[in-house]
Amino acid sequence: MSESPASPLVSKLERLSPLTETDRRAVADLVDDEIWLAEGQNLCAEGRAPDAVCALLAGWACRCKDFRDGRRQIIALLTPGDLIGCDEAGASRKADHAVRALTRVRVAWIPRPRLRATLAEHRGLASAVRMAVAMEEAILRAWLVNLGQRPAYQRMAFFLCEMAERVSGGTGGAERFALPLTQQTLACVLGLTPVHVNRVLQRLRSEGLVDFHNGMVTMRDPVRTWALAGFDNEYLVA
Amino acid sequence: MSESPASPLVSKLERLSPLTETDRRAVADLVDDEIWLAEGQNLCAEGRAPDAVCALLAGWACRCKDFRDGRRQIIALLTPGDLIGCDEAGASRKADHAVRALTRVRVAWIPRPRLRATLAEHRGLASAVRMAVAMEEAILRAWLVNLGQRPAYQRMAFFLCEMAERVSGGTGGAERFALPLTQQTLACVLGLTPVHVNRVLQRLRSEGLVDFHNGMVTMRDPVRTWALAGFDNEYLVA
DNA sequence: CGTAATCTTGAGTCCAATCAACCAATGTGG
DNA sequence: CCACATTGGTTGATTGGACTCAAGATTACG
């Protein structure tokens, strides 16, 4: 009811497809329970069939594939407003990866039947959710290309360009933004070692392109950085 | 009506979710037009919003991201029975990649409104299609992990394990099967150079694990190959 | 303050890319 | 039918990017 801090869920969906006032209210009614989770907690463990959908309201999380030897690959980064497990098929498949909080996070649980009912009733909302799913897939494809084709330096540049676009939410790319990840976590995202991540970041800074320090990114020369990375934000627009 | 060569579309969907006889007939009615396309032709070009869905009936295709400098990354391999562009959101987004025939292919065009109507009417069919989409996503995640975490030798082994599972269609992994790709194409799949692909394949053969020759794969020691690759077929089961 | 993360730096190694031929199979046209 | 071009595969030598190992500097935190 309190309209003050617009739900990140609403604002993210709204960016993808126009919502009516009724749609917006329906979103607010979706939530069953909201909780805080500490960094490192699983929103959804690997191997379990997720019975509920959830929405990330605050903080950062990731989809993460862990190996027995301690190595891990981060498959996706999730930011406030992202829906987790909203594709219906998810209910009947064992999760092939975990969803884990990278910071302290606020999570809203949504009973799957309620989501289904709401989406059936509100076409605009359903369309926005489909767009969200499609964009998450597009990001996944972009990451695959990034890992497959770009060397470390450009790979990092590409990733930072993407995050600048994503956190700005379509307002043309943030030039300074919070990215609450350690260099180790960055390594898990990019398929590099922490040591190499460190060197690559230093090089980006010394070349005057991007500055990552203490979880804050500053895009010092977006144009040259885009060019270096071969970045094109097309896949992030609705 | 002719039951003889079961439509690959039906059999692939059936593997994911049980279909009624009515469902099966509905699938047959979906198709608008069937055509042959030559190797190298685009089923869907990058940058175009695909107006129709299509099904691959015969031959192999891929999702492919091309760069100006000639490099390319293959994002997914498509085999008979795969649906292309069936996620509804696809209609309103510019494609961030091309879908291209890797061999001569037979393609069935499906008008999007007709698909929508059919899925609305046949819940079992809709469920199977959702499963197909979910599995394609799971494969994409597995590829990301493969590129991010495994060195070339194990990466190739993992890929071949996956393909053995996929072509066998759940019957326990083919030990000999056709994989109509050149070593260059394999390089585009795995983010390696053709030269290195060649060396890796030779090593797999000389170690008695897998033999790839002339578009035919022979899994000589599946157990050791799975172990080497850290392969687990969980993500490929419905 | 002391302990633990995280970040930083350096030296050495190795995997995979690059560069450059060469071979085999296929196909084309004179 | 044979010269020739083309494509895909094979091999070797060399280079370089990223990993490994190891130690030190910083920062965060109880």
Side-chain angles (χ1 to χ4, degrees):
Chain A
M1 58 173 56
S2 87
E3 299 285 346
S4 28
S7 150
L9 189 48
V10 169
S11 51
K12 188 163 273 189
L13 288 174
E14 209 151 30
R15 215 179 294 142
L16 295 168
S17 187
L19 300 185
T20 65
E21 188 50 45
T22 346
D23 290 336
R24 274 188 286 268
R25 256 195 308 271
V27 171
D29 289 341
L30 276 175
V31 172
D32 191 44
D33 196 14
E34 291 188 13
I35 57 170
W36 282 102
L37 282 177
E39 170 185 346
Q41 291 300 105
N42 280 352
L43 313 208
C44 171
E46 180 174 348
R48 290 238 327 259
D51 46 330
V53 184
C54 67
L56 188 59
L57 298 181
W60 288 58
C62 68
R63 298 181 184 274
C64 181
K65 174 73 184 170
D66 300 286
F67 293 80
R68 316 115 223 114
D69 64 358
R71 299 171 66 94
R72 61 186 49 172
Q73 174 71 41
I74 289 179
I75 294 160
L77 286 180
L78 305 170
T79 55
D82 279 337
L83 278 166
I84 297 157
C86 63
D87 48 328
E88 284 219 38
S92 47
R93 285 175 59 86
K94 275 201 276 187
D96 51 20
H97 63 278
V99 178
R100 184 170 307 134
L102 287 170
T103 66
R104 203 169 119 81
V105 294
R106 183 137 180 95
V107 177
W109 295 100
I110 302 174
R112 197 177 287 278
R114 192 185 300 173
L115 177 65
R116 195 187 344 251
T118 303
L119 292 186
E121 197 175 343
H122 302 266
R123 311 247 344 126
L125 208 52
S127 152
V129 169
R130 275 197 308 268
M131 288 296 283
V133 171
M135 185 171 303
E136 201 182 322
E137 259 187 272
I139 291 171
L140 193 56
R141 285 191 293 266
W143 281 30
L144 185 80
V145 173
N146 203 24
L147 290 193
Q149 297 298 61
R150 282 186 265 270
Y153 187 50
Q154 287 137 254
R155 196 185 298 177
M156 175 69 77
F158 186 95
F159 170 72
L160 293 174
C161 288
E162 175 183 303
M163 294 320 293
E165 286 293 307
R166 283 175 60 184
V167 301
S168 84
T171 65
E175 87 288 348
R176 188 169 161 76
F177 61 97
L179 187 70
L181 309 178
T182 66
Q183 293 185 2
Q184 273 195 53
T185 311
L186 273 179
C188 296
V189 168
L190 296 170
L192 302 170
T193 49
V195 173
H196 201 56
V197 163
N198 184 301
R199 298 197 224 266
V200 163
L201 285 174
Q202 283 182 56
R203 183 155 164 233
L204 281 171
R205 178 166 352 131
S206 73
E207 302 270 1
L209 294 173
V210 196
D211 192 335
F212 175 83
H213 200 63
N214 262 335
M216 286 296 299
V217 178
T218 311
M219 305 293 287
R220 298 220 180 275
D221 192 337
V223 176
R224 276 174 56 221
T225 308
W226 279 42
L228 168 72
F231 183 78
D232 177 354
N233 68 352
E234 200 63 58
Y235 70 106
L236 294 173
V237 304
Chain B
M1 56 176 57
S2 87
E3 300 285 346
S4 28
S7 150
L9 189 48
V10 169
S11 50
K12 188 163 274 192
L13 288 174
E14 209 150 30
R15 216 179 294 143
L16 297 169
S17 186
L19 299 185
T20 65
E21 186 53 42
T22 347
D23 289 337
R24 274 188 285 269
R25 257 195 306 272
V27 172
D29 288 341
L30 277 175
V31 171
D32 192 44
D33 197 14
E34 290 188 14
I35 57 170
W36 282 102
L37 282 177
E39 171 185 346
Q41 292 300 106
N42 280 352
L43 315 208
C44 171
E46 181 174 347
R48 290 237 327 255
D51 45 329
V53 184
C54 66
L56 189 57
L57 298 181
W60 289 58
C62 66
R63 298 181 185 276
C64 183
K65 174 73 182 170
D66 300 285
F67 293 80
R68 315 116 225 113
D69 64 357
R71 299 172 67 95
R72 61 186 48 171
Q73 174 71 41
I74 289 179
I75 294 161
L77 285 180
L78 305 171
T79 55
D82 279 337
L83 278 166
I84 297 158
C86 62
D87 47 331
E88 284 218 37
S92 47
R93 286 176 57 86
K94 275 201 277 187
D96 51 19
H97 63 278
V99 178
R100 184 168 308 133
L102 287 169
T103 65
R104 202 167 119 81
V105 293
R106 183 135 179 97
V107 177
W109 294 100
I110 302 174
R112 195 176 288 277
R114 191 185 300 174
L115 178 64
R116 194 185 345 248
T118 303
L119 292 186
E121 197 175 343
H122 302 267
R123 310 243 348 123
L125 208 53
S127 151
V129 168
R130 276 196 308 268
M131 289 295 284
V133 171
M135 185 173 303
E136 201 181 324
E137 259 187 273
I139 291 171
L140 193 55
R141 286 191 293 265
W143 281 30
L144 185 79
V145 173
N146 202 24
L147 290 193
Q149 297 300 53
R150 281 186 267 270
Y153 187 50
Q154 286 135 253
R155 195 186 298 178
M156 175 68 79
F158 186 95
F159 171 72
L160 293 174
C161 288
E162 175 182 305
M163 294 320 292
E165 286 293 307
R166 284 175 59 184
V167 302
S168 83
T171 65
E175 86 288 346
R176 189 170 160 75
F177 60 97
L179 187 70
L181 310 178
T182 66
Q183 294 185 359
Q184 276 195 47
T185 311
L186 273 179
C188 296
V189 168
L190 296 170
L192 301 169
T193 49
V195 174
H196 201 56
V197 163
N198 184 306
R199 298 198 225 264
V200 163
L201 286 174
Q202 283 180 55
R203 184 153 163 233
L204 282 171
R205 179 166 349 133
S206 72
E207 303 269 0
L209 294 173
V210 196
D211 192 335
F212 175 84
H213 200 63
N214 263 333
M216 284 298 296
V217 179
T218 311
M219 305 293 287
R220 298 219 180 274
D221 191 336
V223 176
R224 277 174 55 220
T225 309
W226 277 42
L228 168 72
F231 184 76
D232 176 354
N233 68 353
E234 201 63 57
Y235 69 106
L236 294 173
V237 303

